Amino acid sequence: VQLVESGGGSVQPGGSLRLSCQASGSIFNIEDMGWHRQAPGNQRELVAIITSGENTYYGDSVKGRFTISRSYAKNTVYLQMNSLKPEDTALYYCNARGIESSGKRYDSWGQGIQVTVSS
């Protein structure tokens, strides 16, 4: 299962960006989809996850500012990021877990997309 991210870029503090990630390949189902991020010198951290039951979980640093959603028809997960801060600057990675058409489980990651918040 392959993941392709889009929507990153540069924005001023207080601005907004919307990330998208589309899954493709031999997909039987997608269970969880989510976003993680990694800033230089830091460990990768959870940003947000959405389950197949539409339950959502957020990292403490983004609660109230970021919103995760998904389109089952498009096999796509979105991350709406509002009130962006310089500390949100990082490489953002998409993640998806589920079952392939073969019956095997997968845990796939995208290549990462840069988000830079700077004045």
Side-chain angles (χ1 to χ4, degrees):
V1 175
Q2 297 79 43
L3 303 178
V4 177
E5 300 124 331
S6 61
S10 296
V11 65
Q12 292 187 341
S16 298
L17 282 173
R18 188 190 194 213
L19 302 182
S20 300
C21 171
Q22 185 169 36
S24 63
S26 300
I27 299 171
F28 175 73
N29 71 12
I30 303 176
E31 297 170 351
D32 302 338
M33 299 190 84
W35 294 92
H36 294 68
R37 68 186 182 186
Q38 187 168 17
N42 292 353
Q43 291 186 332
R44 190 175 294 189
E45 63 173 353
L46 169 70
V47 176
I49 290 176
I50 184 166
T51 70
S52 56
E54 299 282 340
N55 294 312
T56 58
Y57 303 90
Y58 295 92
D60 288 341
S61 61
V62 306
K63 286 179 182 177
R65 300 187 298 122
F66 291 10
T67 302
I68 191 169
S69 60
R70 65 190 287 178
S71 165
Y72 292 92
K74 297 180 180 180
N75 287 340
T76 299
V77 63
Y78 306 97
L79 185 68
Q80 179 65 44
M81 304 184 293
N82 298 329
S83 302
L84 282 160
K85 305 175 181 180
E87 50 264 44
D88 294 317
T89 296
L91 200 57
Y92 284 68
Y93 295 90
C94 177
N95 172 246
R97 299 185 295 185
I99 301 173
E100 294 179 346
S101 301
S102 65
K104 292 177 57 177
R105 296 198 59 83
Y106 65 87
D107 184 351
S108 297
W109 291 84
Q111 291 193 337
I113 191 164
Q114 182 67 38
V115 171
T116 301
V117 184
S118 173
S119 56

